Amino acid sequence: MTARPKTIAEIDTPAVLIDLDRAERNIANAQKAADAAGVKLRPHIKTHKLPFFAKKQIEAGAAGITCQKIGEAEVMADAGLTDIFLPYNIIGKAKLERLLKLHKRITLSVTADSAATIAGLAEVFADPTRPLKVLVECDTGAARCGVQTSQEALTLARQIDAAPGLAFGGLMTYPAAGAPEAAEAWLAAARDLLKQQGLACETVTSGGTPDMWRKQDAAIVTEYRPGTYIYMDRYQVEKGAATADDCALTVLATVVSVPTPTRAILDSGSKALSSDLLGLADHGELVGIADARVTALSEEHGKVELTGGATLAVGDRVRVLPDHACVVTNLFDEVYLVSGDRVVDVLPVAARGKLS
Amino acid sequence: MTARPKTIAEIDTPAVLIDLDRAERNIANAQKAADAAGVKLRPHIKTHKLPFFAKKQIEAGAAGITCQKIGEAEVMADAGLTDIFLPYNIIGKAKLERLLKLHKRITLSVTADSAATIAGLAEVFADPTRPLKVLVECDTGAARCGVQTSQEALTLARQIDAAPGLAFGGLMTYPAAGAPEAAEAWLAAARDLLKQQGLACETVTSGGTPDMWRKQDAAIVTEYRPGTYIYMDRYQVEKGAATADDCALTVLATVVSVPTPTRAILDSGSKALSSDLLGLADHGELVGIADARVTALSEEHGKVELTGGATLAVGDRVRVLPDHACVVTNLFDEVYLVSGDRVVDVLPVAARGKLS
């Protein structure tokens, strides 16, 4: 290992740079917005995968954190995070045993969207003095997981409520992007039905960075789980949820080839930027270089098309703003925290690759 | 850590399974085809990223291996591989120093497609008693890296030849998929021009699994660098380079939700399967389940659309044949070698995430 770089110029490429000032500003702004809306913030750590930032989010006022897989939650619990929501159906003996161990250490909650998931949880969680909080996942339009009707939500809530080692915690959704009203209407109807039947929803939780800035209706959503807001990315800028100056994550890359005047090749391909397009036309853009877009990726090459007179030379170092920040951090073992040109720290991506 | 699983049924999901019998058969078949064509085989390790299989490929008769990044080559050299080709422009002091160290340990060769790359190599490699072999990369139609004309190839070959610490090694291309004839015609013309000018091409190397089975013209291509052939994948089946029974890599997944009769959700999303579509319509198919396709991915969820009466239940375990095998192995810290239902070994993906 070489000595830790002191400035960005000393970092070998490809590398992930996190602008610490921007990330901290994004944390503060989101917390302020949530506080103003009277909604609890429970950031999703999938974007950064770092205990460092999870702690910063808690310090700023977050009610807890959200993880998607038990392995991520284990990393965060080991690092001292004490309140974790896992909005996932935990299935199978191996995972349920890990979940139980985790439940004994920290404040934990999960979701379920089927009788089978709840039955599995109820078999392992049997202590009525320390029940596991389970929320019912609702498909409010995203067509992923979740019950399809209020009536189904009621049926599952009753099943949870009847299990001695489980406690019904409320409703959870991951809404369709751009359609928060529909999700809230769905949740309100389900919450009201459950209330009529004597089942109070302590928590109604929604997520997604693109719609986080809209005025939350605190009468429905009590908790919000944005992830990307801490780093932002090209997709969020496209959706109007961020400006380019909010984007904290870039990939530092080197131009390794300029085969033609309008084509430059970076040492950063899909292994650095991922193939996630999220519906955008290109795979990224070069910070500060107008008309330079990453138009194609192979595993170790990123093809940049230069238009409008932009030029690049072999050896040039550039910063790529990727389409999707969350998937980029899963591809690197470490990230560089920077402030201006200065390297503040190098952090291992502790929760990277935690798939189960 | 739990004990190592003895059978597939004991493996927690998501997990990468490698059918050892199929992989070994694929290695043998490719070597046989290369031998019959009189072409050297130099497999690209990007697909498996495992010293275990690199050694098997050498034992089967490969002339050496191909790596794309220095970090991969370092892992392979540490594991005892002694002849490595890096078809990449190595740029910058940090990488050149690592390259020099590697060159002192093993037989190494690289490519260049610009005067700047060659000048950088020549500055660090100055020992005429142990010159670094450098091939000129040619853009024969794939529109990625590479010189655009025979004349440019000649200019660079002369520059390499004139550098005391470098030796001109020949021509390299990564051809456009499905157009090997055009690539070979390009290479033949360049080789002939260089020969006229007194520069012999010891090696003319091409790559890509989809076209590897076509009759190689050994009078042009002397060495071939396929990667995916060891595992094969859905893309290779689509291209006619493999059958479903050749595919050695699958992702073992669990059904975590069945929100509607025609929609099942797997615990394997883009963090397990990657977002690489390679032009295919879906993200994967379920082995042995007709009419079940992975139609959408988010990071931790894979959406399966069930048509034609196929059914899945929460807790079912399935094997997904992904579109692109190489990018999947980069997402997992370990892979399970299996033979039938038996787990033969669990191997760390030693060259995973080696981006520089």
Side-chain angles (χ1 to χ4, degrees), chain B residues 71-87:
Chain B
E72 295 174 336
E74 287 167 340
V75 167
M76 293 295 156
D78 288 349
L81 281 298
T82 58
D83 189 332
I84 300 179
F85 179 39
L86 271 174

Side-chain angles (χ1 to χ4, degrees), chain A residues 12-14 46 69 88 95 113 139 143-144 257 263 267 275-276 298-300 303 333 352 355, chain B residues 12-14 46 69 88 95 113 139 143-144 257 263 267 275-276 298-300 303 333 352 355:
Chain A
D12 197 15
T13 66
K46 75 189 182 97
K69 292 290 179 90
Y88 212 79
K95 290 195 180 71
D113 72 357
D139 180 356
R144 202 168 70 179
S257 176
R263 188 203 313 161
D267 63 356
S275 307
D276 258 24
S298 45
E299 281 153 77
E300 302 288 10
K303 186 195 288 193
D333 290 337
R352 186 205 59 74
L355 282 149
Chain B
D12 197 15
T13 66
K46 75 188 182 95
K69 293 289 179 91
Y88 212 79
K95 290 194 180 73
D113 73 356
D139 179 357
R144 201 168 68 178
S257 176
R263 186 203 315 161
D267 62 356
S275 307
D276 258 23
S298 44
E299 280 153 79
E300 303 287 10
K303 185 195 288 195
D333 289 337
R352 185 205 60 73
L355 282 149

Side-chain angles (χ1 to χ4, degrees), chain A:
Chain A
M1 287 298 291
T2 47
R4 176 193 298 176
K6 290 191 175 63
T7 65
I8 292 175
E10 295 168 27
I11 300 174
D12 197 15
T13 66
V16 171
L17 310 184
I18 306 297
D19 186 307
L20 183 56
D21 308 310
R22 290 183 179 189
E24 290 187 332
R25 193 178 66 204
N26 291 341
I27 291 172
N29 284 346
Q31 188 64 53
K32 203 190 298 179
D35 290 347
V39 172
K40 287 184 193 169
L41 201 67
R42 185 181 283 275
H44 204 307
I45 63 82
K46 75 189 182 97
T47 307
H48 54 73
K49 301 176 178 68
L50 301 170
F52 174 82
F53 276 129
K55 289 177 187 172
K56 292 241 178 224
Q57 289 168 319
I58 296 293
E59 283 162 20
I65 60 170
T66 306
C67 298
Q68 206 68 4
K69 292 290 179 90
I70 300 176
E72 296 174 335
E74 288 167 341
V75 167
M76 292 295 155
D78 289 348
L81 281 297
T82 58
D83 189 331
I84 300 180
F85 178 40
L86 270 174
Y88 212 79
N89 288 284
I90 307 297
I91 310 281
K93 190 164 169 279
K95 290 195 180 71
L96 287 166
E97 281 173 7
R98 288 165 62 198
L99 193 70
L100 181 60
K101 273 190 195 164
L102 206 52
H103 177 62
K104 289 177 176 166
R105 298 165 62 193
I106 62 165
T107 301
L108 193 66
S109 49
V110 302
T111 59
D113 72 357
S114 72
T117 297
I118 297 166
L121 290 167
E123 214 175 291
V124 172
F125 290 80
D127 180 359
T129 68
R130 188 171 167 72
L132 175 69
K133 196 175 286 183
V134 183
L135 286 74
V136 173
E137 179 162 0
C138 305
D139 180 356
T140 58
R144 202 168 70 179
C145 295
V147 297
Q148 301 295 300
T149 64
S150 292
Q151 191 57 48
E152 278 184 72
L154 174 63
T155 303
L156 295 189
R158 281 178 171 150
Q159 187 186 356
I160 296 163
D161 191 55
L166 306 180
F168 174 62
L171 303 174
M172 170 262 169
T173 196
Y174 184 76
E181 299 83 359
E184 286 167 13
W186 201 113
L187 293 167
R191 179 202 57 185
D192 293 347
L193 174 65
L194 269 63
K195 195 176 177 187
Q196 284 167 22
Q197 302 294 320
L199 286 160
C201 290
E202 180 191 335
T203 299
V204 177
T205 166
S206 187
T209 293
D211 297 316
M212 72 179 292
W213 304 117
R214 89 180 264 282
K215 195 186 165 308
Q216 299 294 331
D217 184 348
I220 301 167
V221 172
T222 66
E223 196 166 283
Y224 206 75
R225 315 178 314 277
T228 317
Y229 81 96
I230 183 171
Y231 290 164
M232 295 299 187
D233 54 26
R234 214 169 152 240
Y235 174 78
Q236 301 295 340
V237 173
E238 179 82 13
K239 292 286 164 192
T243 68
D245 288 342
D246 295 326
C247 294
L249 182 149
T250 51
V251 173
L252 185 69
T254 298
V255 176
V256 293
S257 176
V258 185
T260 77
T262 58
R263 188 203 313 161
I265 307 293
L266 306 179
D267 63 356
S268 300
S270 67
K271 262 177 69 182
L273 297 167
S274 100
S275 307
D276 258 24
L277 279 167
L278 297 180
L280 304 184
D282 303 307
H283 290 277
E285 58 193 62
L286 273 51
V287 176
I289 305 179
D291 302 321
R293 298 288 165 92
V294 183
T295 56
L297 299 175
S298 45
E299 281 153 77
E300 302 288 10
H301 300 84
K303 186 195 288 193
V304 176
E305 278 182 34
L306 299 163
T307 54
T311 58
L312 285 171
V314 171
D316 282 354
R317 290 154 61 93
V318 298
R319 289 170 74 167
V320 182
L321 176 63
D323 291 351
H324 192 186
C326 315
V327 291
V328 170
T329 62
N330 192 52
L331 296 168
F332 286 80
D333 290 337
E334 56 190 20
V335 296
Y336 291 84
L337 298 187
V338 302
S339 178
D341 282 333
R342 191 169 52 88
V343 174
V344 177
D345 209 347
V346 188
L347 299 179
V349 186
R352 186 205 59 74
K354 302 299 176 192
L355 282 149
S356 67

